Amino acid sequence: MIRTHKSVVPVDYWPHLGLLLLGCVAVYWHTLDVPMYLDDISSISDNAALHDLSQWQRIWAFSELRFVGYMSLALNYAVHANSVVGYHLVNIAIHLGMGVALYGMLRTLARTPALVGSPLSARMPELALAVALLFVVHPLNTQAVTYIVQRLASLVALFYLLSLWFFVLGRLADGRARRLYWIIAAGFGLLALFTKQNAVTLPAAILLLEYSFFAVNAAARRRLLRGIGWSLLALLIALAALHFSGTLGLEVLDAASRETLRISRIDYLAAQMLVLWRYVGLFFWPAPLLLDYGLLPQWRFSDWQVVLAALAHIAAMGGALFILRRQALTAVGILFFYLAHTVESGFIPIKDLMFEHRSYLPNVGLCLALLLPLSLLRERVLFAVCLALVLVLGAVSWQRNELWRDQVAFFNHAIEHAPNQPRNWVYLSKVYHKNGDNQQALEFLNRELTANEQRNGRLRLDTATYIYWSKLLRATGDTTRAEQIDAYVAGLQTSPQQRQRILLNQGNSYLQAGDYAAAEAAYRQVLAVNPAHENANINLGVVALLQERYGEAIEIFERYPQHPVSQSNLPSARAALEGKLEFEGLSEQVQEKAE
């Protein structure tokens, strides 16, 4: 007889883990060549802070609260530079890890005082597999996996879930084993906290598990609630002391807990009452999925739709509390959905009201909520239903990932389903510009410019779009109009970073036009402000190469050996310097990463 308790992983886990691996690979194997999108460029390939691991302090300065997430991207860059395969492999591994952690935690929760010996506990192996498989293949999770930089959403979720799992393991153990499990749980919690800010809800999630699965009698629940009450009181007293001592003013807290001033906290919360139901709707009917839903902050608590949505949320949470003692997993799933959305769908205004990757961790709660209806099915029926769901959801995910592979098709799909969302048109224009079709890119941008003027009564663009518009005009030969836009933007109160982007784009335009002296002057203006600007230095090396200053070009390219322009042109520069070839032009055109 096999004694499974001696194994680190029980023997019956392995076939289930194999199915999770199979489901993950089936849905994501073809995403390894998905190109970088949007924030991938600014956060990874165009982010000099990530390009030298020995200067880890620059990563910390770039984003203290997301240091772990960006460090993982920096490690990828150190190995793969701008080759996307390595990034996607890591993202897929993180997603598979989420499926395994969800499966393992459910198997562990079946041993807690609230569930042990129950019919649900006896069926937990098959139910845990069903729920974990649905999570792994669900289309609503594709953005957090396939969009490289949204690794932060999936990685924080993995650390968060592992911390919860090891807390439960520790709660079921004793002595040294308990301390070890809890140390590991604290370590994962710390990693989560420095991956993304929504990890601040982790202590509340731990208390939710403690109350739901371990505080099984009235006395234990009273003790726990008293402890929570005293802890909250101590926290309020500490915050008050910091405020009145001048150490931490309310204005500092306000600035730290908002991304934009354009939306009030109460109006943002009103909009989120509707957004949260859209997340729920997409979980149960994941179509259409879009990168940018373009929702506007136009809702108020005086709108009847918002009132109804809020009442429905209150009813859902109230119902979860009502069934908490009888159906703990389902109730915890509903409450966890709201808890995990607290940071990004609460009182902290964020300029974009909705993104699919924000639902990645909360989707765990919705998966848990499915346990009740699934547990009502007989074994064979459960198998048939889950197989059908996995196949259908997996096919939708596969198709969504196939769209990610083709940027033109991806944004055309977005425009088809959200034709009035301005950024979808701008994004599509940028794809055509990246592919070298500047005239088509300008046509798509002009559509949005016309619509923008009609919407607002006058043209109202952000500085980045003005910069991109100027670059397109230069690329299509309209230098006069481009200079007019540059002059207008120069009159705005632009940040040093925006000014650098303007100058870099000007230099790139001059370079493409063959005006090497003007291009060099623009790049040197960038370097006068930021001597470490990678693209300005690289493009200066390109200018030196084109002007047959081979030694100078080699010196610059050797400083940036991982940059694709350096890798492509350094051999030619060395050969030309040695007289082994007559240099006639670039083997790879300058990469214009500033948009």
Side-chain angles (χ1 to χ4, degrees):
M1 181 175 177
I2 297 175
R3 301 177 65 184
T4 58
H5 67 278
K6 287 189 175 181
S7 302
V8 176
V9 178
V11 173
D12 65 332
Y13 276 42
W14 293 112
H16 291 177
L17 299 183
L19 287 173
L20 290 176
L21 174 62
L22 179 63
C24 192
V25 170
V27 170
Y28 288 99
W29 68 268
H30 62 315
T31 65
L32 298 181
D33 61 350
V34 170
M36 289 190 177
Y37 277 75
L38 306 169
D39 289 349
D40 291 339
I41 305 298
S42 58
S43 296
I44 303 172
S45 65
D46 202 25
N47 184 2
L50 270 59
H51 296 175
D52 186 353
L53 277 177
S54 65
Q55 299 292 322
W56 61 267
Q57 299 91 335
R58 296 176 64 187
I59 304 174
W60 177 263
F62 175 73
S63 183
E64 297 175 0
L65 295 179
R66 299 186 175 190
F67 174 75
V68 173
Y70 280 109
M71 177 60 79
S72 76
L73 293 170
L75 289 168
N76 259 135
Y77 189 89
V79 178
H80 306 105
N82 290 313
S83 174
V84 296
V85 175
Y87 297 91
H88 287 301
L89 284 173
V90 173
N91 280 22
I92 294 169
I94 291 169
H95 184 54
L96 176 61
M98 272 294 291
V100 172
L102 178 57
Y103 172 81
M105 190 174 78
L106 286 172
R107 293 285 301 264
T108 304
L109 285 173
R111 296 158 41 205
T112 60
L115 295 180
V116 67
S118 67
L120 187 64
S121 175
R123 298 189 64 189
M124 189 54 75
E126 63 192 64
L127 291 171
L129 174 63
V131 166
L133 262 178
L134 291 175
F135 182 87
V136 164
V137 303
H138 202 288
L140 191 53
N141 291 330
T142 53
Q143 187 178 109
V145 183
T146 308
Y147 188 2
I148 294 173
V149 78
Q150 298 313 331
R151 171 186 302 179
L152 275 68
S154 59
L155 187 59
V156 71
L158 177 60
F159 290 145
Y160 194 114
L161 196 58
L162 287 171
S163 183
L164 291 178
W165 186 13
F166 276 90
F167 164 76
V168 176
L169 286 169
R171 197 65 176 77
L172 293 171
D174 52 28
R176 289 185 178 180
R178 169 173 289 187
R179 289 193 293 273
L180 177 60
Y181 282 133
W182 281 358
I183 289 171
I184 295 172
F188 281 126
L190 192 62
L191 289 172
L193 191 62
F194 285 96
T195 299
K196 200 175 180 187
Q197 291 91 320
N198 58 344
V200 298
T201 61
L202 179 58
I206 290 174
L207 290 173
L208 177 62
L209 295 185
E210 174 69 23
Y211 183 86
S212 305
F213 298 106
F214 294 98
V216 293
N217 56 64
R221 291 195 291 273
R222 285 196 297 271
R223 286 196 302 271
L224 180 61
L225 290 175
R226 279 199 301 270
I228 293 172
W230 284 112
S231 298
L232 289 175
L233 179 61
L235 177 62
L236 289 174
I237 292 173
L239 289 174
L242 289 171
H243 170 65
F244 289 113
S245 67
T247 305
L248 185 64
L250 292 177
E251 63 283 355
V252 176
L253 281 174
D254 179 68
S257 60
R258 63 164 59 248
E259 185 191 61
T260 178
L261 294 170
R262 296 178 61 185
I263 312 174
S264 71
R265 295 185 187 277
I266 195 68
D267 288 346
Y268 184 80
L269 182 63
Q272 291 304 311
M273 294 297 98
L274 299 172
V275 168
L276 285 170
W277 284 119
R278 290 196 70 169
Y279 287 135
V280 174
L282 287 171
F283 182 84
F284 290 102
W285 189 263
L289 297 176
L290 304 173
L291 178 67
D292 182 11
Y293 289 82
L295 301 181
L296 299 176
Q298 58 189 355
W299 303 100
R300 305 289 184 272
F301 272 106
S302 57
D303 297 324
W304 65 268
Q305 300 98 321
V306 174
V307 173
L308 284 180
L311 289 174
H313 288 308
I314 293 171
M317 289 185 281
L321 292 172
F322 181 74
I323 66 171
L324 184 60
R325 304 261 54 102
R326 289 169 293 170
Q327 297 291 339
L329 277 171
T330 296
V332 166
I334 295 170
L335 296 173
F336 183 83
F337 170 79
Y338 288 105
L339 177 63
H341 268 303
T342 300
V343 172
E344 292 171 313
S345 293
F347 286 100
I348 300 176
I350 304 173
K351 61 182 179 180
D352 294 301
L353 297 182
M354 177 180 179
F355 271 123
E356 291 164 18
H357 63 262
R358 295 177 188 169
S359 68
Y360 186 82
L361 178 60
N363 286 343
V364 170
L366 295 180
C367 285
L368 292 181
L370 292 176
L371 282 168
L372 176 58
L374 291 177
S375 67
L376 300 177
L377 303 176
R378 295 180 184 178
E379 185 174 346
R380 290 184 179 180
V381 178
L382 174 65
F383 174 81
V385 168
C386 288
L387 179 62
L389 286 174
V390 167
L391 290 176
V392 171
L393 292 175
V396 175
S397 293
W398 193 94
Q399 183 58 41
R400 179 61 177 166
N401 283 329
E402 189 68 14
L403 266 181
W404 278 93
R405 298 178 70 195
D406 184 341
Q407 291 184 323
V408 173
F410 185 87
F411 288 116
N412 272 317
H413 172 266
I415 287 171
E416 177 186 350
H417 292 282
N420 297 320
Q421 308 311 332
R423 286 194 299 189
N424 289 330
W425 290 96
V426 176
Y427 293 160
L428 183 58
S429 171
K430 290 182 178 182
V431 171
Y432 276 100
H433 168 65
K434 180 182 177 181
N435 293 338
D437 192 346
N438 293 315
Q439 193 60 52
Q440 186 69 58
L442 186 58
E443 289 181 16
F444 280 116
L445 180 63
N446 283 335
R447 292 190 190 186
E448 165 50 25
L449 297 177
T450 302
N452 183 288
E453 197 164 5
Q454 292 174 349
R455 284 195 307 270
N456 301 309
R458 64 182 181 86
L459 200 60
R460 297 182 63 181
L461 303 174
D462 56 58
T463 304
T465 304
Y466 274 118
I467 294 171
Y468 173 63
W469 185 15
S470 170
K471 180 168 64 173
L472 269 188
L473 290 169
R474 289 181 185 277
T476 53
D478 194 348
T479 306
T480 302
R481 188 74 190 281
E483 289 177 349
Q484 291 173 348
I485 294 173
D486 288 345
Y488 172 75
V489 174
L492 301 175
Q493 290 185 339
T494 56
S495 67
Q497 291 77 15
Q498 290 172 328
R499 180 61 181 159
Q500 290 172 38
R501 294 176 70 186
I502 294 170
L503 290 168
L504 183 65
N505 285 326
Q506 287 178 348
N508 292 343
S509 300
Y510 289 132
L511 183 60
Q512 289 182 336
D515 189 345
Y516 302 144
E520 182 171 354
Y523 296 143
R524 291 198 182 280
Q525 286 185 67
V526 176
L527 296 175
V529 179
N530 181 8
H533 197 291
E534 184 175 276
N535 285 333
N537 275 296
I538 286 290
N539 293 356
L540 202 59
V542 171
V543 170
L545 186 58
L546 290 169
Q547 293 184 328
E548 300 183 4
R549 302 184 337 243
Y550 302 130
E552 181 181 341
I554 292 170
E555 187 273 329
I556 292 174
F557 292 151
E558 286 180 340
R559 274 190 278 145
Y560 303 95
Q562 297 300 318
H563 198 288
V565 173
S566 296
Q567 293 175 345
S568 181
N569 294 296
L570 183 56
S572 298
R574 287 170 173 164
L577 182 64
E578 296 171 4
K580 295 180 179 179
L581 64 80
E582 184 177 344
F583 185 77
E584 296 179 351
L586 295 177
S587 58
E588 179 176 326
Q589 290 298 318
V590 59
Q591 293 193 352
E592 299 178 58
K593 295 182 181 178
E595 296 292 339

